[in-house]
Amino acid sequence: MNKKNTNEYVKKISEVLDDKIKTITSIQYYYDLEKLTSSLNDLSDADAENVLEQIINDKLEEIKKSGKAEKFRENNRLVDDVTEFFYDNNEEDGAIVEEGSCVASDLILKTIGINGRKIEIPVNISYIKEYCISNIIEEKNIRKTLLWIVLELSVVSYFLNN
């Protein structure tokens, strides 16, 4: 290989890498879930919960209908990779994130009937609040936890359907 060909390869590879690095570094690393869903603030608490309930049920239906629902465990790392963009590293949010993730996983497992456990869709938001979200979550953080459940279900549904 002559020097001219080598330089062309060097230039081409450098441009490709520079382009990819530019793309990677332009990614925003934190998305505030509450700000992204701030339109809920225009609604009464009951109406906001109705919206969240509908999203939860829609996502559970999508997961169930995907025909690949049992494979959601294989995508756990990918789900974590995406949801990390919505997690602000503070202690209070840590409990909300952990609780929301556990509830979302449990809802998925019950929806697809793992280990003989079943839940009928549609799921009522009051059921989730009373029986799924543990008492370690303060009342003021219930909506944040519900938003995290919606996020987790949305990510799982996305990976199973795309």
Side-chain angles (χ1 to χ4, degrees), residues 66-85:
S66 74
K68 305 176 234 170
E70 67 281 348
K71 293 184 180 184
F72 94 96
R73 290 183 193 177
E74 295 171 15
N75 292 314
N76 270 348
R77 184 64 207 141
L78 294 173
V79 172
D80 289 345
D81 288 346
V82 172
T83 58
E84 281 178 13
F85 284 89

Side-chain angles (χ1 to χ4, degrees), residues 36-117:
L36 293 173
T37 58
S38 63
S39 60
L40 291 175
N41 296 337
D42 299 336
L43 303 174
S44 68
D45 287 342
D47 288 340
E49 286 188 1
N50 285 337
V51 169
L52 293 173
E53 179 179 87
Q54 183 63 47
I55 295 170
I56 288 169
N57 285 304
D58 288 352
K59 295 305 174 185
L60 289 172
E61 281 291 342
E62 289 173 13
I63 291 166
K64 187 176 184 176
K65 287 179 182 176
S66 74
K68 305 176 234 170
E70 67 281 348
K71 293 184 180 184
F72 94 96
R73 290 183 193 177
E74 295 171 15
N75 292 314
N76 270 348
R77 184 64 207 141
L78 294 173
V79 172
D80 289 345
D81 288 346
V82 172
T83 58
E84 281 178 13
F85 284 89
F86 297 88
Y87 176 56
D88 190 15
N89 243 350
N90 67 52
E91 193 173 314
E92 183 177 87
D93 280 354
I96 292 166
V97 167
E98 187 174 326
E99 187 69 17
S101 293
C102 287
V103 171
S105 292
D106 194 48
L107 288 171
I108 293 167
L109 292 172
K110 288 176 180 175
T111 297
I112 60 178
I114 298 292
N115 294 331
R117 299 170 66 216

Side-chain angles (χ1 to χ4, degrees), residues 22 29 55 85 141 162:
K22 181 180 178 184
Y29 284 98
I55 295 170
F85 284 89
N141 291 324
N162 292 291

Side-chain angles (χ1 to χ4, degrees), residues 107-159:
L107 288 171
I108 293 167
L109 292 172
K110 288 176 180 175
T111 297
I112 60 178
I114 298 292
N115 294 331
R117 299 170 66 216
K118 280 269 194 203
I119 193 168
E120 293 298 318
I121 301 172
V123 177
N124 192 298
I125 199 91
S126 62
Y127 171 83
I128 295 171
K129 289 170 52 178
E130 290 177 36
Y131 300 109
C132 299
I133 297 174
S134 74
N135 60 1
I136 64 165
I137 301 298
E138 295 178 37
E139 184 66 32
K140 68 179 183 166
N141 291 324
I142 295 290
R143 184 178 287 181
K144 287 182 183 179
T145 306
L146 292 169
L147 287 172
W148 196 266
I149 293 166
V150 165
L151 174 64
E152 291 260 343
L153 293 175
S154 297
V155 175
V156 169
S157 175
Y158 177 84
F159 281 124

